[in-house]
Amino acid sequence: MTAALKAAILFLAVLATLSSVRAEAGKRADLIEALTRLARQTHIEILFDERLAIGKAAGIDRPRAGPEQRLAALLTGTGLSFRRTAGGAYLVFAAAVGPRGASPAPPEEPIAEILVIGQRTLNADIRRSADDIQPYAIFDRTEIDRSQSATADEFLRARLPQNAQSTSLNQMPHMGGASVRSEVDMRGLGTEQTLVLVNGRRMPSVPGIGDFLQSDISAIPITGIDRVETIGTTAAGIFGIGATGGAVNIVTKSEFEGVELVARSSIAQQGDAAGRALSGHIGYTSRGGHTRLSVRASRTDDGGLAFGDRSYIKDARQLRIKRDPSSFLPVSGSINIQTSRTQTLELLPSFGGKALNGSTTFLPFNAPAVGAGGAAVLVANAGRLDSSSAPDGQGDLASLVTPSRMTSLLATLRQDIGSHAAIFIDYLRLVSAGRSSIGAVAQGQTTLGPGEGGNPFQQIISVTFPTPGLVGHVRNRTTTDRLMIGTIVELGNGWTSSLDAATGRAEVTTATDGSLIASRGINFFQDGAAIASQLSAAGYGRVSETRATDRLRDVNLKIAGSPLRLPAGPASVTITGELREDRSPGEVDQRNAIFPFPPSTTSYSSQRFRVGSAFAEARVPLVADDSHLAALRGLEFQFALRQDFYELKVPLEATLLQAAGVYGSSVTARGSVTALTAGLRVTPVSGVMLRASFASGYTPPTPSQIAPVGTVTYDSIIDDPKRGGLHPGSTNQTVYLLGGSPNLRPQRARTLSIGAVLRPGFAPGFRLSIDDSFLKTTHEITDYALGDFQYFVDREDSFPGRITRAPPTPADIASGYSVGPITRVDASYLTDGQSSLQVVDAAFDYARETAVGKFQVYGRFAWQPTLKRRGIPNAPAFNMANSFNGPLALRGNAGIDWSRDAWSAGMNIQGYGSYRITYAYQPGSSSASSFEAANASRLLEQGALHIPAQFYVDGYVGFRSGSFSSSSHAPAISYRLGVRNLLGTRAPVVVPPLAGASDEVGYSTLGDARGRQFILEIATRF
C-alpha cells in the first residue's frame, strides 16, 4: 500500500468518525458567510448582491432540511426573499423595492451575470452550473485558492481531469522555445479544438507561423480568479468556432471594496526553484453604489531548474546506454566517439594502429592530445561512452524547467446611468515571459572522415563535444491586451440588453543568442586548452529574432429576458450577434547570424479570419419540482442554435502558381456552419436528477491548411495509367499542388452525453454526478497522401476533382486514349479523417458541519478508454488513449478540507493512470514503418512497456485573523503554509524519444521535476 493511499485512508477515517458528531444549531451567523456556506454545502447556485446583505445576521439554519427550506430559514427576518430561475440558480432580492443602490430589485431572470449582477462580475456568458443540462465542471473561488497552484495553466492541468494536456510548455524549454504560455487540450483532440474565454468573451489568438493559436491565460493570477467554468464535450453550438472539444471560461474577480495584498513564496526542498508572487487589488464603490472601480495587478516569478539540478537527464541517459549503447551519442563532459555498430574502431598507423575493442570510446576534455598520450586513453575507454552531463548549455546549465516572469493588470470601471442603464470599461493586460538556457552551438555533433579534423581513426566517426562555460539563451515573451467597452440597458418586463466592443492584441517575440560554430574546422583531439581556444574564437551573439502579432476586433450584441412565465417557472431566451476579426499583419524573422551566414530579415505576409455569428438559446421549464407527475418533476428543456459565417484569407507565397494564373496573390476560404445544442433534465425521484444532451460543432481549416504550395513544370514526375504510362510533363506543362487548399470543408463534431446527479436525502450535503459522453468528429483534415502525386493519379476515379485533364486531341483518340493529358494534380490535404471517443466523468462532494469544524470531501475523475482515430479511408482505426502521444485513460484528483473558526487545513491527491511508452499510429500509413522502428527502440531503451501510475499529494494549513467578507471593513490577515508533493514522490524516469539536449526531458511530465515544494502565502485586506 502506497504512502499516498495510507494518507487518504487516514483522512477518510477521521472524517467518518467526526461525521457522527451532530452539527451545532441555533447559532446566528453573518448572512453573507451563511449564504456562501449553504451554497457550498448543498451545491446550489445562490446569486445575490452583497450590498443587500452587509451587516445582516442570518436566520437559524435547518441542517436536516432541503436546500430551499434552508435558504428560506437563513433569509427569515432579513427583508430578503428568493426565487429559483430557469437555469436552476437561486436569486436573492429585496422583498420590497427601494431606491437603486440601496436595495435594487433584480430583473425577472438572471440570464447572464453581466446583465443581472454586473456589479458582481463582468462575466458576459450565461452563468453555468454543475447541475446544468450539459455536464459542466465548475470551480469556485475557495477551491481555486486552496489548490496552491501558481498559475491558471497549472491549476487546469492538476485539477481538471478533462484536460488531457500532459506536458506544459515550461517543461519543454528547448522545443517550446522558452514559451511559458498556457495550453488546454480537452480530451486530447488538440488545443485548437478547445476554446478559452475570459469573462465569457474571446481573447486575441496567439499568433503562430501560419496559424492562430489558443489564447494565453497563463499570466492571470490565481488570486484574481472568481470561478472557472469548463465543459469537456462539444460546445460549438454555445460558444462558437473552436469549441468542438470543449471550452474553458475564466471569470475574474471584480466585486471588492478596499485594498487586498497577497504575497506568496515557494522553494523546493533542495533549496532551488524559488518562486515569488505578489498581487494587489483595489476596489472602490461610491456611496450610492452607482460607480464601481476594480484594479488588480500581479507579478509572478519562477526560478526554474537546470539539467544539473536534478538527476533525471543523467538517469535517462544511463538507462539508454545500458540497454542500447549504440542507439545514441550523448553530449557529455568528454569527446564521445562512435562509428558504425558493425565496425570496430582502429587507430591510424601514425597513432599506433591499435584496434579498439568496440565501436565507441571517449576522450576526457582535460586529457592530453592524441599525439601526446591521448591515444592510450582512447584505447582504455574502448566500448564505452561518457554519459556525464556537459558543463555548459548542452548539459548541466541547460534549462530543465523554464524560468519565467508573469505580470498582469486587470481593471474594471462600471458607471450607472440613471436607473436603467450602465456603462462599463474592462481592460486586461497579460505578459508571460520565459528565458531558457540552451547549447551555445547550433551543432553539438559532427561527422569526420579518417584524418579529417584530427580524426585519429581509420573509420568515419561521429563526435559530440562539450563547450565548457558557453551557454546560449532563448527569450520568449507573449503579451496579450484586451480593452472592452460596453453598455447595459434594462428594457423592462425582465428584458435586458448589452452591447460591447473589444479590441485586443497578442504579440509573441522570440530571440535566440548563441553561436553557429563551424564544428568541422575544430580539432577535437588536441588537449582541452587548445579546444577551448578554438571554441572561444567562434562568434557568439544574437542568432535570430522573431516577432508575430495578432489583432482582435470583436463586437457583441445581446438581448435576454423571459418571454413567458410557465407554471414550472419563467422560460428564458438569450439572443446574441457577433462580428469578429483576427488579423495578423505578418511575422518578421530577423537573423543577425554569425559567420559564415550573413544577416537577413524575412517578413511573412499577413492573414485574416472574419466571423459573423447569430446565436439563440432558450431554457423552458415544463414541469414544476413539486408536480403530481412524479416521473416528470423538474422537466426542463434547453435548445441553442448558432450560425457562423467565416472568411479566412491568406497570401499566396507560391510565386510559380501566381505566375501560371492558378491563383491570385491570395486565397480565401469562405463558409457557413450551423451548430445546435439540445438537452433536457428531469428529477423523477427526490434527490436523483437525470440529464441528457446532444451537441454539434464545426472547426474551419486553419490558415496553413488553406495556403497552397506547388510548382508548374514540364518535368516527368508521374506516370499516367490512363494513357499507357506516359509522363504528362514530357508533352505539356503540368501544375502540381500540395499543402493547403481553399476548398477544404470544416471538420464536424457531435457529442451525446447522458448522466445523473445524486443528492440522497439520507446524506445532506452529499452530491455525486456521473456522465457518459460519446464524441465523434468527421471530415478531419489529414495529410496521409500529402504531396504523393502518383497516389491520386492512380486513384483518379476515387478522388473527383483532384486530377484535371485537357480535352483529348484527335491524335489522342487515334492513339486509343479516351482522355486528354493531365494538366493539374492536386495532392493537397484531404478531409477523410475521423475520430471517436468515449469518456465517463465522475465528481463527488460531501460537506458536513460537526462540533469540531466543517469538513468537505471531494473528487473529480475522468475515464477515457478510447480515442480512436482514422486518417486513411477504409483503413482500421487506432486507439490513442494511454499511448505516449495520446491522452491518459484515467486521471483525477480527490481531497479533504477542514475549517473551524480561524483555522483551516486540507489535502489533495492527484492520480494519473499508467500509460504505454510506445506511440499510437495509423496502420498502413507511409510513416507506419518509422513508428514501428521507433516503438521497438523505445521498448528496448526503456525496458518496460508501461510507465507506472503516479500519485502526488499536496497539503496545507491556514490561519486568519479578522473577516475577509465584504461586509467587514476591519483589517484582516491570513497565513497559509502549503507543501506540494508532500510525500516527495519522484516522477518516473522516461527515456526521451530522441537524443540530444534540445529534445531531452528525462521524466514523466505528469509529475513536477521540482519535487517537494514549500509554499507560504500571506494575504491582508483592509
Side-chain angles (χ1 to χ4, degrees), residues 202-205 427-428 479-484 501-507 549-554 581-583:
R202 291 178 182 260
M203 298 282 287
S205 300
Y427 177 71
L428 177 151
T479 304
T480 302
D481 292 278
R482 188 187 70 182
L483 174 65
M484 184 167 62
T503 179
R505 180 183 66 106
E507 182 178 84
T549 304
D550 170 60
R551 299 187 184 279
L552 171 70
R553 303 290 185 271
D554 193 10
E581 179 185 81
D582 274 286
R583 180 190 291 268

Side-chain angles (χ1 to χ4, degrees), residues 179-463:
S179 175
V180 291
R181 63 180 174 85
S182 60
E183 288 189 316
V184 185
D185 180 8
M186 292 295 203
R187 311 302 189 190
L189 292 173
T191 57
E192 72 281 359
Q193 298 192 53
T194 299
L195 180 63
V196 174
L197 306 170
V198 176
N199 292 330
R201 288 287 184 258
R202 291 178 182 260
M203 298 282 287
S205 300
V206 172
I209 298 178
D211 281 316
F212 297 108
L213 306 180
Q214 188 181 81
S215 303
D216 181 26
I217 56 171
S218 59
I220 297 178
I222 282 291
T223 55
I225 299 176
D226 184 69
R227 60 192 262 123
V228 178
E229 302 169 341
T230 71
I231 183 169
T233 61
T234 300
I238 301 291
F239 300 106
I241 291 172
T244 49
V248 174
N249 182 28
I250 305 291
V251 182
T252 59
K253 296 178 183 177
S254 61
E255 168 59 30
F256 178 73
E257 186 170 355
V259 177
E260 180 183 68
L261 296 175
V262 181
R264 169 190 166 112
S265 179
S266 64
I267 194 167
Q269 179 177 329
Q270 293 86 340
D272 51 23
R276 297 176 300 276
L278 179 65
S279 69
H281 191 179
I282 299 175
Y284 164 78
T285 303
S286 64
R287 182 179 298 273
H290 300 293
T291 303
R292 289 208 170 196
L293 174 66
S294 172
V295 179
R296 177 181 291 274
S298 70
R299 171 174 160 173
T300 303
D301 293 279
D302 186 334
L305 284 177
F307 276 13
D309 294 331
R310 299 293 184 270
S311 65
Y312 287 115
I313 298 297
K314 179 181 178 181
D315 294 345
R317 287 182 175 184
Q318 290 180 340
L319 184 61
R320 170 177 262 146
I321 293 174
K322 175 182 177 181
R323 298 192 57 82
D324 190 11
S326 61
S327 65
F328 96 117
L329 193 61
V331 178
S332 69
S334 301
I335 311 298
N336 276 323
I337 303 159
Q338 184 181 62
T339 189
S340 169
R341 67 177 65 187
T342 61
Q343 293 183 301
T344 297
L345 288 170
E346 187 175 356
L347 291 168
L348 291 169
S350 57
F351 295 105
K354 186 175 181 61
L356 278 65
N357 184 25
S359 60
T360 60
T361 188
F362 66 91
L363 184 68
F365 195 81
N366 58 358
V370 173
V377 178
L378 291 173
V379 173
N381 291 331
R384 296 185 297 153
L385 292 171
D386 182 8
S387 63
S388 66
S389 187
D392 56 23
Q394 302 177 97
D396 283 344
L397 305 182
S399 293
L400 183 64
V401 176
T402 304
S404 64
R405 171 170 295 173
M406 300 183 185
T407 59
S408 71
L409 175 64
L410 294 82
T412 300
L413 172 65
R414 177 187 169 106
Q415 176 65 53
D416 291 343
I417 307 297
S419 59
H420 298 288
I423 60 173
F424 65 88
I425 301 175
D426 182 60
Y427 177 71
L428 177 151
R429 179 178 174 86
L430 307 173
V431 180
S432 59
R435 182 179 184 272
S436 65
S437 299
I438 62 173
V441 298
Q443 184 181 2
Q445 178 175 330
T446 190
T447 301
L448 301 173
E452 181 183 9
N455 177 11
F457 295 101
Q458 302 178 34
Q459 292 75 33
I460 298 174
I461 62 172
S462 295
V463 176

Side-chain angles (χ1 to χ4, degrees), residues 445-565:
Q445 178 175 330
T446 190
T447 301
L448 301 173
E452 181 183 9
N455 177 11
F457 295 101
Q458 302 178 34
Q459 292 75 33
I460 298 174
I461 62 172
S462 295
V463 176
T464 59
F465 56 93
T467 57
L470 291 181
V471 181
H473 296 99
V474 179
R475 297 174 176 84
N476 185 287
R477 177 186 174 98
T478 301
T479 304
T480 302
D481 292 278
R482 188 187 70 182
L483 174 65
M484 184 167 62
I485 301 174
T487 180
I488 306 168
V489 179
E490 296 179 10
L491 303 176
N493 297 321
W495 286 84
T496 315
S497 69
S498 70
L499 174 66
D500 59 74
T503 179
R505 180 183 66 106
E507 182 178 84
V508 178
T509 59
T510 305
T512 302
D513 298 328
S515 175
L516 298 178
I517 292 177
S519 56
R520 295 181 66 86
I522 297 178
N523 186 338
F524 300 102
F525 300 94
Q526 297 178 328
D527 59 75
I531 298 174
S533 176
Q534 295 177 79
L535 292 173
S536 62
Y540 180 88
R542 178 62 49 85
V543 174
S544 67
E545 182 173 352
T546 63
R547 182 178 68 255
T549 304
D550 170 60
R551 299 187 184 279
L552 171 70
R553 303 290 185 271
D554 193 10
V555 178
N556 289 267
L557 172 66
K558 176 179 289 189
I559 300 175
S562 178
L564 72 162
R565 293 191 62 88

